[in-house]
Amino acid sequence: MVKHIILWTLKPDLTPAEREKVKAEIQSGLEGLKGVVPGLLEITVQIHGLESSNADVMLDSTFTDTKALQAYAVHPAHVAVADGKVRPFTAIRSCMDFEV
């Protein structure tokens, strides 16, 4: 199995209300991919970090293997969420993929 972990920091010009709306839409969009993208076993998006956090959103996902992760990256449903709900609102993205 392969873990795919991402941390995003939202753009600083978003108002507090916009930030909460964007985080909720990222969460619902990405978690909605379960059962849609082949090889995606688990997907969880955390949007309620503690005050000590320096990221706004965390994606924790598990795939059957590296081929499934590569297919997820270009899957039309994932690309639609990434292009419509994530990329326009994020300033920083950090990623770590690893085998478990």
Side-chain angles (χ1 to χ4, degrees):
M1 289 190 300
V2 171
K3 294 292 283 183
H4 175 61
I5 309 293
I6 298 181
L7 295 171
W8 288 286
T9 300
L10 298 179
K11 290 182 177 177
D13 60 340
L14 295 170
T15 67
E18 290 170 330
R19 295 173 77 76
E20 292 309 308
K21 181 181 180 205
V22 165
K23 290 192 303 185
E25 288 179 356
I26 290 173
Q27 183 179 44
S28 65
L30 289 172
E31 289 182 352
L33 297 174
K34 187 170 182 183
V36 174
V37 178
L40 174 59
L41 301 175
E42 296 292 332
I43 188 163
T44 303
V45 177
Q46 181 54 253
I47 60 172
H48 301 293
L50 298 176
E51 290 294 321
S52 57
S53 300
N54 63 2
D56 298 303
V57 180
M58 182 199 71
L59 166 70
D60 180 355
S61 53
T62 307
F63 293 85
T64 54
D65 54 29
T66 56
K67 287 184 181 185
L69 174 58
Q70 292 166 347
Y72 165 82
V74 296
H75 190 282
H78 170 254
V79 171
V81 172
D83 287 347
K85 298 178 186 274
V86 180
R87 290 185 183 118
F89 306 104
T90 55
I92 300 171
R93 176 187 181 273
S94 297
C95 175
M96 183 168 205
D97 300 326
F98 55 95
E99 292 186 356
V100 292

